[in-house]
Amino acid sequence: MKAMILAAGRGERMRPLTDITPKPLLPVGGKPLIVWHIEKLAAAGFNEIIINHAYLGQQIEDTLGSGQQWDVDIRYSPEGEALETAGGIAKALPLLGNGSFLVVNGDVWCDLDFARFSARGLAQLMQGKHAHLAMVSNPAHNTQGDFQLGSDGHLSSDTSNRLTYSGIGMYRAELFAGINPGEKAKLLPYLLRAIVAKRVTGEHFTGSWTDVGTPDRLHELDEAIKAGQPQH
């Protein structure tokens, strides 16, 4: 199975760090943030990884290369201008294929077991779902959450008892049908449409997870990893 790491964001909230370094290459716990994902994906059996990039993207290619050192095949989907999440995935579909794939935000850190999560997600997608998302308890910067996770595993847009989308999900290519290659498109409208059609499921991940969105969060995560106490 293939995986995609989203790495095209500008990282405005991380400035000035991201003025000279793309956010996925910022070091945490002794290695670039994106390398944590690559290592975990390789260990989980994902040997084909697609990475999109825009701002300072050549640095990402120069740093990661072909993926040989992790025994994976890395291919790149460059975007002259960042296309947002759905637009970036749609542009990469020729590399991802027409089936199912895992998508991971390049600016999160977690200890999610990608192998087990993808197996559970694939089971849902094989039953006709278009997405299966890893949801986390609401962090301080997103106290309202994103979607409600029902007892049947389906996500809804109900406003009570919401959880936050972790930035990690299994998807089918059909979700992105209608997006032209190179077109900017946010993910939320496509998810909401599929949620209304009961085609999105999820699970509550309660392990360590951090959205590395600010220099303070990056520093806190770095210190926690070095101390052997990754954050929730």
Side-chain angles (χ1 to χ4, degrees), residues 73-92:
D73 177 23
I74 295 179
R75 303 180 71 182
Y76 298 95
S77 180
E79 303 170 12
E81 181 181 1
L83 300 176
E84 303 285 0
T85 299
I89 295 171
K91 183 178 185 297

Side-chain angles (χ1 to χ4, degrees), residues 1-4 45-50 72-75 95:
M1 188 175 294
K2 298 180 180 180
M4 180 175 186
F46 289 88
N47 54 16
E48 295 182 70
I49 300 174
I50 291 85
V72 298
D73 177 23
I74 295 179
R75 303 180 71 182
L95 300 174

Side-chain angles (χ1 to χ4, degrees), residues 112-133:
L112 176 68
D113 186 326
F114 286 137
R116 292 183 178 180
F117 172 76
S118 61
R120 291 190 296 267
L122 185 59
Q124 293 291 338
L125 300 187
M126 290 178 68
Q127 295 178 34
K129 307 306 181 194
H130 283 177
H132 180 77
L133 310 183

Side-chain angles (χ1 to χ4, degrees), residues 217-228:
R217 280 186 236 155
L218 179 71
H219 176 72
E220 290 170 5
L221 176 63
D222 183 56
E223 293 296 312
I225 292 175
K226 290 176 179 176

Side-chain angles (χ1 to χ4, degrees), residues 130-168:
H130 283 177
H132 180 77
L133 310 183
M135 307 296 292
V136 296
S137 298
N138 299 331
H141 59 273
N142 190 43
T143 57
Q144 298 302 309
D146 298 316
F147 308 115
Q148 183 186 98
L149 176 60
S151 58
D152 62 354
H154 285 90
L155 294 182
S156 77
S157 57
D158 291 348
T159 57
S160 61
N161 301 315
R162 285 185 167 189
L163 296 172
T164 292
Y165 174 44
S166 68
I168 303 166

Side-chain angles (χ1 to χ4, degrees), residues 36-52:
W36 288 94
H37 285 328
I38 294 172
E39 291 177 346
K40 286 177 60 62
L41 289 169
F46 289 88
N47 54 16
E48 295 182 70
I49 300 174
I50 291 85
I51 300 174
N52 70 335

